[in-house]
């Protein structure tokens, strides 16, 4: 039978305030005595902290935890009054399965873990992220500290995003694109996958005549067009310079591939206005239809094949242009 509880008087130590619950049974008050001694330190601590006894009951909490209850979007996780069975509370929040926090506290109280760290998923309302650090206490019970790690997580996510994206165009960089390609090769869809290599013909002349600032602006516009033109599931990357790489799902035939190449070429070759100048950029495009037979291929080999197709297209276009220039008027 769970012990009875009584509300303790609110204690003051200078400007330090602590709210506690103590058990009515004087033989079970050792943890309460220790918490009374530690109350000023605990309450002055900036990290939101509660103390749970060996039975899972909240016996102490500091002001930071009380303040957290009011600001934390997932309030159910931290709305624990003194005397509440924390393990039961967190278990109930999990529905059919106990939450990770309930399981973690149970593991610490049961002696299976001495220390444990649990990151709570972001909340749906404001994206707040918190971390719970659990530490067992000598003689039973544990301390639970709750830290706001939202800024830390967002910085890590931003760093990861920057590591994957080309800083100029915002599409995947070469390394991230090849990682995507390797993953797709391991699990090629039955409805086919198209791989395109796109090279902007004569783009160097724009940089030479108008400067790299203008050239960069043209690249930004063309990258946005490629993303907008292709279906949402397509993956666009920048190989570097004026070359782009594209993966397009649901491309199982050469006819489907030619249709995609036509859309890509049309998106690129529409005039691009930068300041007062309209630029018309031409593109050489090579593509492959990847199927189950390509699953064992290395990404470098697959890209080399697509690159050869691109250079074949470039030669054909150059020859056609030369032929037109030699045709009598």
């Amino acid at each position: 039978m769970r012990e009875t509880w009584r509300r303790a008087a609110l204690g003051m130590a200078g400007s330090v305030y602590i709210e506690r619950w103590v058990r009515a049974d004087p033989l079970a008050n050792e943890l309460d005595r220790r918490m009374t001694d530690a109350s000023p330190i605990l309450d002055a601590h900036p990290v939101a902290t509660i103390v749970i006894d060996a039975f899972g009951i909240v016996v102490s909490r500091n002001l930071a935890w009380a303040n957290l209850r009011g600001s934390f979007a997932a309030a159910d996780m931290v709305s624990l009054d003194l005397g509440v069975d924390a393990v039961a509370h967190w278990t109930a929040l999990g529905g059919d399965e106990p939450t990770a926090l309930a399981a973690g506290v149970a593991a610490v109280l049961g002696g299976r873990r001495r220390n444990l760290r649990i990151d709570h998923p972001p909340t749906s309302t404001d994206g707040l992220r918190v971390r719970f650090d659990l530490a067992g206490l000598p003689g039973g019970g544990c301390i639970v500290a709750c830290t706001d790690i939202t800024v830390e997580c967002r910085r890590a996510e931003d760093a990861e995003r920057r590591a994957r994206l080309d800083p100029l165009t915002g599409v995947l960089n070469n390394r991230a694109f090849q990682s995507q390609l390797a993953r797709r090769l391991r699990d090629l869809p039955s409805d086919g996958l198209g791989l395109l290599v796109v090279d902007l013909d004569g783009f160097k002349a724009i940089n030479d005549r108008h400067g790299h600032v203008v050239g960069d602006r043209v690249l930004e516009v063309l990258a946005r067009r490629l993303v907008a033109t292709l279906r949402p599931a397509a993956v666009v990357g920048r190989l570097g310079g004026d070359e782009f790489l594209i993966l397009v799902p649901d491309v199982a035939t050469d006819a489907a591939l030619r249709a995609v190449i036509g859309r890509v070429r049309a998106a690129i070759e529409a005039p691009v206005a930068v300041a007062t100048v309209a630029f018309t950029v031409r593109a050489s495009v090579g593509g492959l239809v990847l199927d189950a037979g390509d699953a064992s291929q290395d990404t470098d080999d697959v890209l080399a094949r697509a690159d050869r197709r691109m250079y074949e297209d470039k030669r054909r276009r150059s020859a056609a242009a030369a032929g037109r220039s030699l045709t009598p008027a």
Side-chain angles (χ1 to χ4, degrees):
M1 180 177 178
R2 189 168 297 280
E3 297 167 286
T4 57
W5 294 77
R6 62 178 174 82
R7 190 70 176 268
L10 303 184
M12 293 292 295
S15 60
V16 177
Y17 162 87
I18 192 70
E19 190 178 24
R20 302 172 47 250
W21 279 67
V22 295
R23 276 167 287 189
D25 183 356
L27 298 178
N29 282 339
E30 176 58 24
L31 179 58
D32 299 322
R33 185 191 61 75
R34 283 184 284 157
M35 289 315 305
T36 299
D37 295 340
S39 289
I41 298 173
L42 177 66
D43 207 43
H45 193 45
V47 176
T49 306
I50 61 172
V51 179
I52 298 172
D53 76 354
F55 299 98
I57 302 297
V58 179
V59 296
S60 186
R61 67 184 179 194
N62 65 357
L63 285 175
W65 185 280
N67 292 335
L68 180 67
R69 285 178 22 152
S71 61
F72 187 28
D76 285 345
M77 293 300 295
V78 293
S79 51
L80 294 168
D81 289 324
L82 299 176
V84 167
D85 187 326
V87 177
H89 175 83
W90 287 324
T91 298
L93 292 179
D96 295 334
E97 296 184 5
T99 63
L101 188 53
V105 172
V108 172
L109 294 180
R112 298 187 300 277
R113 296 291 298 269
R114 180 63 178 165
N115 299 285
L116 194 61
R117 169 168 286 178
I118 299 170
D119 288 349
H120 189 268
T123 61
S124 58
T125 53
D126 58 9
L128 188 69
R129 307 278 289 269
V130 294
R131 170 174 292 157
F132 293 96
D133 285 292
L134 284 56
L137 292 171
C142 74
I143 291 179
V144 179
C146 182
T147 308
D148 185 343
I149 58 170
T150 306
V151 173
E152 174 186 335
C153 289
R154 287 176 179 168
R155 284 175 179 167
E157 289 164 358
D158 286 345
E160 182 181 359
R161 180 181 56 81
R162 288 194 299 270
R164 297 178 64 251
L165 298 183
D166 174 62
L168 174 63
T169 62
V171 300
L172 292 184
N173 59 30
N174 183 33
R175 179 179 177 182
F177 183 91
Q178 293 209 36
S179 176
Q180 281 275 347
L181 176 58
R183 184 175 64 82
R184 300 289 182 95
L185 285 173
R186 289 193 298 269
D187 188 22
L188 278 171
S190 58
D191 49 4
L193 182 67
L195 170 63
L196 279 65
V197 175
V198 180
D199 183 76
L200 305 181
D201 298 330
F203 184 79
K204 183 176 182 296
I206 296 177
N207 284 332
D208 291 344
R209 295 173 188 171
H210 301 276
H212 286 277
V213 172
V214 172
D216 287 351
R217 176 61 179 158
V218 172
L219 286 175
E220 290 180 60
V221 172
L222 294 180
R224 286 202 303 271
R225 283 185 186 174
L226 289 175
V227 173
T229 298
L230 300 170
R231 66 194 68 188
V235 177
V236 180
R238 184 183 177 202
L239 179 60
D242 55 6
E243 286 190 271
F244 291 90
L245 303 168
I246 304 171
L247 282 173
V248 187
D250 300 326
V251 176
T253 65
D254 289 339
L257 182 66
R258 286 194 296 272
V260 173
I261 290 175
R263 290 163 56 200
V264 167
R265 204 186 300 279
I268 290 174
E269 296 185 354
V272 178
V274 177
T276 59
V277 182
F279 299 95
T280 299
V281 181
R282 305 299 180 190
S284 297
V285 185
L288 297 173
V289 175
L290 301 175
D291 54 30
D294 297 298
S296 61
Q297 294 289 308
D298 182 82
T299 55
D300 289 340
D301 294 336
V302 171
L303 286 170
R305 286 164 52 200
D307 204 45
R308 287 195 293 271
R309 295 278 184 91
M310 183 272 293
Y311 278 108
E312 289 170 6
D313 183 59
K314 189 183 290 289
R315 285 192 292 271
R316 283 195 300 268
R317 291 165 62 81
S318 296
R324 287 193 297 271
S325 67
L326 295 174
T327 301

